[in-house]
Each structure stands twice: as C-alpha cells, then as structure tokens.
C-alpha cells in the first residue's frame, strides 16, 4: 500500500485532526473523575459522572470544533438522558467516540520508580467489543518523567513496546490509535532537557511502531508540548515552546503521520491555547491540533458544580475553551 492510498482507517484518522478540529479527552478513570467531582463539590456517583459527560458532549455546536471525544469504559457503556448510548449520540451530533484502552500504570521492574502502562492482556477481545459498541478510535497513555537519569532507556523501550503493540491491535480491528507518550511537566528541568527527553522518547517510539508495522497515516500522535518544567525558574514564550516542539517532532516522526494532537498536561487553559496557536503558526508536515483534557474541561466543571440549573453555564465554559483552540471559530 502506498503512503497516499486511502483506507477507512486513514480517513478516520484524518477526520480526527482535520479542518482545525481537535479531540476532547473526557476519559478520566472512575477514580480520577470521582476525585475531580469531589474537588468541585459534586458527589462522585456513577450518575454524576454520566451527567457530567452528557453536559460536555451535548454542548451546542461542539462538533464545530471537536471531531471526537475520548471516554473511559464506564461512559462508553452509558446512555444520554434520551436513551441513546454515548457513541450513538455522539455520531448523531457529528463526532466520533474514542475509548481509553490502557488500564493504568504499574511500577516497572528494573526501573527505580518509573512505570509501565498496562492493558495488553486480552486487548484484542476488548477492542473487538468496543468496535461493536461504536468506538472509532482508542487511546493508550504511557507516562514518563524527567530527572535522576529519567526517562531511562529501559522505561522508554518497555513503554514503546506496549504502545506499538496496542496501536497494531487497534489498527487490525479498524480503530485509529491515539498514541500518547506523555512526559510529565513536574520538575525544574529546562526546555532543552524536555526537548532531549522528548526526542529520545519519540525516536524510540517511531522505531518500535515501524517494527510493529503500524501505519503512520492511520494513527494520531498525542505528545506533550516541549516546555520548561512546571517549577522551572524561567518559563518559555509560546514561540519558544512552538519552535522546540516542532523541531523535536520533525526530527523524529514520519512525515506521513495522520496528525499530532497535543495533551495539555496541567498547563492552564490560556497557556495551552497560546502554545498551540504558536505551534500552528509553524510549518509542519502533519496537521497539529489539541487532544486536551483539563485545559478544556476544568472551567466547565467549575461552572457546573453538579447544579442542574448550571448546565448551560458549564456548556458555555466548554464552548469558550473550544473556540479558543479552533482558529476558524475564534477568527
Ligand atoms: P490533559 O490534557 O489534561 O493532560 O489530558 C489529556 C489526556 O488525555 C491524558 O491522558
């Protein structure tokens, strides 16, 4: 197959990152979502987790800026108040449903304090079920950190292996993998250290994806932006972040990747949007967009706070964050 042949998988991947639209990450695990709800003063029940996701996806004209929404297993099986399942409702609204298929991190043997993301056991069976439930794409998040010899080569290899195998299983089943090797921003490292660590991570990942026969044109990369550490004395301008990020990606990733959708990684909504806008001003071989979680949803959760009378406020907050990140909407 040539790099320009169209396949359904490639069409889906292109649609996820095309037309300036991006991905909304609403796939917090039950535990994480419950903590976020409690933080906003909302009782962490199954129904409140459902109601919160319904608030997000039924935001008016969300599909103008959002191509797909990532859910966790619980939400994918839940329904909107009108009885449609989340994947069905999303499709009717012009968006695609994604599913987080990793099962979280565990300590990696032989790597002091570093982690391996798990979820490969039985993955092909789960993926087949998710396809039946209406999922069109799937996410797996590896977590790496900087400092004290980290990320180690062993942690990079072990996590790249898992990412490549998950991506291949997904593509074989017709799901677009959204491949997320996240380097955490915690720490006082410089932007140069982040660039070096991200470069090593992505170079290892690109080699391993190629070994597994993963089609770059049928996947989306979800990396961290290359920034200074969250507690570094000097933070970068958006232009510095953009240059370092694009240089690192260009040096490591194939040009026929369907697209790059960045995570927000704890940046404020304003900072994440400014950095993404600067990245988009640079020339890249692939579309660049967002696959933000916190930067998009935190204001919505804060505005809603579980109050049925404040659903419209939560939705207005989300719509504002989406507009901020979609050039055609903010224009
Ligand atoms: P953040 O944008 O909040 O980093 O979340 C994105 C995500 O999907 C993490 O796996």
């Amino acid at each position: 197959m040539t790099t320009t042949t169209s396949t359904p998988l490639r069409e889906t991947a292109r649609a996820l990152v095309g037309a300036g639209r991006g991905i909304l990450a609403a796939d917090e695990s039950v535990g994480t979502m419950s903590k976020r709800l409690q933080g906003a003063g909302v009782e962490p029940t199954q129904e409140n987790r459902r109601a919160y996701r319904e608030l997000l996806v039924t935001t008016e004209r969300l599909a103008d800026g959002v191509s797909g929404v990532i859910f966790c297993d619980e939400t994918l099986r839940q329904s909107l108040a009108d009885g449609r399942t989340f994947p069905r409702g999303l499709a009717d609204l012009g968006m695609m449903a994604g599913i987080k298929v990793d099962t979280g991190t565990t300590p990696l043997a032989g790597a002091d304090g570093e982690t391996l993301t798990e979820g490969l056991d039985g993955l092909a069976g789960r993926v087949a079920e998710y396809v039946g439930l209406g999922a069109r794409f799937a996410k797996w998040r590896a977590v790496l950190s900087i400092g004290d010899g980290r990320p180690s080569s062993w942690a990079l290899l072990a996590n790249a292996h898992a990412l490549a195998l998950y991506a291949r299983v997904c593509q074989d089943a017709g799901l677009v993998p959204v491949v997320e090797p996240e380097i955490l921003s915690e720490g006082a490292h410089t932007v140069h250290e982040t660039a070096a660590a991200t470069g090593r991570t992505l170079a290892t990942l690109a080699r391993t994806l190629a070994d597994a026969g993963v089609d770059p044109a049928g996947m989306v990369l979800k990396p961290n932006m290359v920034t200074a550490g969250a507690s570094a004395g000097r933070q970068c301008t958006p232009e510095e972040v953009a240059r370092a990020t694009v240089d690192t990606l260009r040096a490591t990733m194939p040009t026929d990747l369907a697209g790059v959708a960045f995570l927000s990684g704890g940046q404020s909504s304003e900072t994440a949007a400014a950095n993404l806008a600067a990245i988009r001003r640079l020339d890249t071989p692939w579309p660049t967009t967002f696959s933000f979680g916190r930067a998009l949803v935190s204001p919505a959760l804060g505005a809603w706070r579980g109050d049925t009378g404040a659903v419209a406020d939560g939705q207005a907050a989300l719509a504002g964050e989406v507009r901020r990140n979609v050039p055609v909407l903010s224009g």
Side-chain angles (χ1 to χ4, degrees):
M1 187 166 60
T2 71
T3 53
T4 51
T5 309
S6 185
T7 66
L9 191 77
R10 289 176 171 184
E11 290 298 315
T12 303
R14 258 200 293 273
L16 277 172
V17 294
R21 297 199 298 172
I23 299 169
L24 168 59
D27 60 323
E28 300 88 348
S29 64
V30 169
T32 301
M33 192 65 242
S34 296
K35 273 192 222 119
R36 299 229 171 116
L37 287 176
Q38 275 172 314
V42 184
E43 201 190 335
T45 60
Q46 193 176 36
E47 167 52 22
N48 282 339
R49 291 191 294 273
R50 191 206 63 77
Y52 167 65
R53 265 65 174 248
E54 172 154 358
L55 174 157
L56 296 179
V57 305
T58 57
T59 294
E60 199 177 346
R61 304 193 59 176
L62 188 66
D64 288 358
V66 169
S67 56
V69 183
I70 320 176
F71 298 123
C72 66
D73 180 273
E74 179 181 81
T75 315
L76 199 77
R77 298 173 192 280
Q78 289 177 323
S79 297
L80 301 172
D82 65 12
R84 287 175 298 170
T85 64
F86 271 85
R88 179 73 258 157
L90 222 54
D92 291 346
L93 290 163
M95 295 174 282
M96 293 182 270
I99 176 73
K100 186 221 330 262
V101 295
D102 69 72
T103 55
T105 59
T106 190
L108 173 63
D112 190 18
E114 296 182 280
T115 63
L116 174 66
T117 298
E118 293 193 309
L120 292 174
D121 287 354
L123 180 62
R126 283 193 291 127
V127 161
E129 188 193 0
Y130 290 140
V131 170
L133 290 170
R136 305 283 306 281
F137 66 103
K139 182 190 105 170
W140 180 291
R141 172 176 179 252
V143 187
L144 299 151
S145 59
I146 297 180
D148 282 339
R150 295 178 195 173
S152 69
S153 301
W154 170 226
L156 292 186
L157 262 182
N159 278 289
H161 167 268
L163 281 166
L165 189 45
Y166 125 82
R168 182 62 205 239
V169 167
C170 287
Q171 287 193 339
D172 285 353
L175 282 188
V176 171
V178 173
V179 176
E180 181 178 11
E182 175 172 4
I183 302 188
L184 298 174
S185 64
E186 279 83 6
H189 42 274
T190 64
V191 66
H192 306 291
E193 290 170 300
T194 310
T198 306
R200 285 174 59 224
T201 302
L202 295 182
T204 305
L205 177 62
R207 274 196 305 275
T208 316
L209 289 167
D211 284 345
V214 172
D215 177 13
M219 66 164 268
V220 173
L221 180 73
K222 175 166 175 166
N224 51 281
M225 297 177 189
V226 176
T227 64
S231 53
R234 181 181 173 281
Q235 292 299 315
C236 299
T237 64
E239 288 68 33
E240 289 169 327
V241 169
R243 187 78 267 161
T245 302
V246 169
D247 285 351
T248 305
L249 286 165
R250 272 181 169 281
T252 51
M253 296 314 289
T255 53
D256 55 345
L257 200 61
V260 176
F262 294 96
L263 59 96
S264 63
Q267 300 180 80
S268 70
S269 302
E270 294 79 6
T271 303
N275 287 342
L276 178 63
I279 288 169
R280 282 173 148 165
R281 286 194 288 272
L282 299 181
D283 189 34
T284 52
W286 355 260
T288 52
T289 189
F290 57 87
S291 177
F292 294 163
R294 286 162 288 177
L296 287 180
V297 301
S298 300
L301 181 55
W304 173 55
R305 296 188 173 279
D307 176 359
T308 46
V311 167
D313 297 334
Q315 293 184 326
L318 174 61
E321 292 309 327
V322 171
R323 262 197 308 279
R324 209 207 280 272
N325 286 286
V326 180
V328 289
L329 298 181
S330 57

